Structures are given as structure tokens and as C-alpha cells.
Amino acid sequence: MKLYFYYGVMSSSKTANALMKKFNFEENGKKVALIKPSIDTRFGETIVKSRAGLSSEAFLIKSDDKIEDIIDKNNIFEIIIADEAQFFTEIQIDELRNFVNQGIMVMCYGLRTDYTGHLFEGSKRLLEIADTIREIPSMCAKCGRKAIINAKYLGKKIIYKGKPIDIGGEDKYITLCHQCWKLGEL
């Protein structure tokens, strides 16, 4: 079994990919646990939903939770799929690694960096310990080059400082390449 980390910028179809994987595994008779961090409240506490309209119920994981305490122990899951994995703590990522060591496949989907260009705690740990790391590419909304950052903006200005976690969508963020991000304006 492996620990996978699939990362990309916003709108790169990470969640849609996660939900399609869950559907495909379940269609083949596998028991899948879908988990999400409690900080992601965009579509409700226990719903994982993609911009493409796919959705599913998920186990809600708080920052101080042990994942094994939240996933129903009466079920034996063969696969764990984690959406918004960047928001999990280092300890929780290590716990996911332990599930893999016990024979459970774990697939994590999330952002690599915040809008300031720094690694999220969960992403940093995944980059350190995942067996397989794959980028889900997307393009810059301004120039069409490869997007690498979710730029936070206000009006036409790019914001480079502030609280690293600010949940939002296209109302706050735009995907940009490094060159367009450094220009400071949309």
C-alpha cells in the first residue's frame, strides 16, 4: 500500500478527482472512508463537493482529533481519501502514514502552498513522507503558463501578507504563474 499526495492550485480538479476515485473504488466493492478537515466549511460540515458538482458525505476531522477515533471502528476501510489535506496537522498526516503501514491505501488531495507561497503544514509533511507525489497541473488565469500559486487579491491588487489560512474561492483567489503573481496586479 502507498500514501499518495496529489496537489495542485485551486480549480485544478483535485476534489473532483478525489470523488471520482471514491466512486470507482466503491463500484468495485472497496470500502472507502472520505475525510475532510473541519476548517473547510464551504459546502457544509460533512460534505465534500467539487466545483463540477460531484459531492459525497465525509468524516469531519478537527485539528485536535485522532483520525482513527473519528472513522467508525466497526467498519474496516481498505482506502482512505483525504480532501483538503493541506489543513491536516503534521501529527494527523503521520497517522495517515500509519494507516498505510497497516495495509490501507491513503490518497491525499490538496494545495501545496498558501497565497504567500509557503507550504501548508499538512502539505509539508506529505511532501516529506508520501510514497507518491503527483501534481495536478493547471494554467495561469492571466497568461496561460503553468499556475503554481493561489494568489489572494483585493480589487486589482495581489495580497502577499496576512493570515495564511483564509477559506474562499474565486471571490478571493486567482490561480497564477510565479511571474504574474510577482507583478502585484491583476
Side-chain angles (χ1 to χ4, degrees):
M1 291 298 127
K2 289 185 176 183
L3 172 60
Y4 295 88
F5 180 35
Y6 298 94
Y7 72 90
V9 295
M10 293 172 63
S11 301
S12 63
S13 301
K14 296 177 304 299
T15 298
N17 277 300
L19 292 170
M20 289 188 307
K21 286 285 189 186
K22 179 181 183 290
F23 175 81
N24 287 335
F25 287 134
E26 289 175 340
E27 283 285 297
N28 287 295
K30 302 293 183 191
K31 290 198 76 159
V32 181
L34 179 63
I35 63 173
K36 69 176 261 185
S38 62
I39 194 168
D40 179 19
T41 58
R42 292 171 298 160
F43 303 111
E45 281 194 355
T46 61
I47 300 295
V48 170
K49 184 175 180 182
S50 74
R51 288 178 176 83
L54 303 171
S55 66
S56 181
E57 283 283 329
F59 290 99
L60 184 70
I61 309 295
K62 296 177 184 165
S63 62
D64 59 348
D65 285 340
K66 287 189 73 177
I67 296 170
E68 67 183 21
D69 291 342
I70 302 303
I71 295 175
D72 183 357
K73 292 188 179 197
N74 295 322
N75 290 310
I76 297 175
F77 293 102
E78 299 165 276
I79 301 161
I80 297 171
I81 298 176
D83 191 46
E84 302 293 351
Q86 73 272 7
F87 296 133
F88 289 120
T89 66
E90 180 177 341
I91 291 168
Q92 289 170 327
I93 298 300
D94 286 344
E95 188 179 358
L96 291 173
R97 176 75 239 185
N98 288 334
F99 281 115
V100 173
N101 296 345
Q102 297 166 22
I104 298 170
M105 180 191 308
V106 177
M107 305 176 85
C108 296
Y109 293 82
L111 303 172
R112 183 179 58 172
T113 62
D114 63 26
Y115 69 91
T116 69
H118 294 94
L119 291 171
F120 284 101
E121 178 181 351
S123 302
K124 179 182 181 300
R125 191 63 180 147
L126 281 164
L127 290 168
E128 293 168 343
I129 66 170
D131 296 299
T132 301
I133 300 166
R134 294 195 178 125
E135 181 179 18
I136 302 171
S138 191
M139 77 165 118
C140 177
K142 282 186 70 178
C143 72
R145 286 185 286 238
K146 180 180 164 189
I148 65 159
I149 195 158
N150 302 302
K152 186 174 180 181
Y153 68 90
L154 183 60
K156 295 279 186 187
K157 297 283 185 194
I158 303 294
I159 299 169
Y160 298 102
K161 294 181 180 175
K163 187 174 77 170
I165 297 175
D166 186 8
I167 304 296
E170 290 81 16
D171 59 323
K172 293 182 183 179
Y173 296 97
I174 186 169
T175 58
L176 298 176
C177 67
H178 193 268
Q179 293 90 330
C180 292
W181 178 64
K182 290 302 278 182
L183 291 175
E185 292 188 26
L186 297 180

